[in-house]
Amino acid sequence: QVQLVESGGGLVQPGGSLRLSCAASGSIFKINAMYWYRQAPGKERDLVASTTSGPSTVHLDAVKGRFTISRDSAKNTVYLHMNSLEPEDTAVYYCNADITTRALTRGQYWGQGTQVTVSS
């Protein structure tokens, strides 16, 4: 069994910064990729950024130049560094991971989500 636990969300003023963390634990053989998504009220869930064994990528045009993704493989943790936050960044942020378990099964796992609210 695999668990993803996100942390770091909260209320921040426009122009502020937050760092989200997502730690994977459980029966992990290999983490193939980790992703950050976000979902604003009434909108679809969007892919924000991804990281694999190769380069990391920010996918969402609205956050390019402001958000970066990084990974600590030793801790099975992925981070989303969010700078110059705007009210439009308000959303629930979800972590997703492509993981091969010790049973050598491969699947996609989701965290519970963490709320980010950007407001003055």
Side-chain angles (χ1 to χ4, degrees), residues 94-114:
Y94 294 93
C95 176
N96 175 274
D98 176 349
I99 292 174
T100 301
T101 69
R102 293 188 186 126
L104 300 182
T105 58
R106 185 168 178 172
Q108 295 279 344
Y109 298 86
W110 288 93
Q112 80 284 359
T114 185

Side-chain angles (χ1 to χ4, degrees), residues 9-73:
L11 174 64
V12 63
Q13 292 187 341
S17 299
L18 282 175
R19 188 186 76 166
L20 306 183
S21 301
C22 172
S25 63
S27 181
I28 297 171
F29 174 72
K30 181 183 178 184
I31 298 178
N32 303 298
M34 299 188 83
Y35 307 88
W36 283 102
Y37 287 79
R38 74 181 188 184
Q39 187 167 21
K43 296 188 177 181
E44 295 185 351
R45 190 172 295 188
D46 291 323
L47 174 62
V48 177
S50 65
T51 179
T52 66
S53 58
S56 299
T57 304
V58 176
H59 300 273
L60 192 63
D61 288 342
V63 306
K64 287 180 179 178
R66 300 187 295 119
F67 290 13
T68 58
I69 185 171
S70 65
R71 179 175 168 181
D72 185 335
S73 296

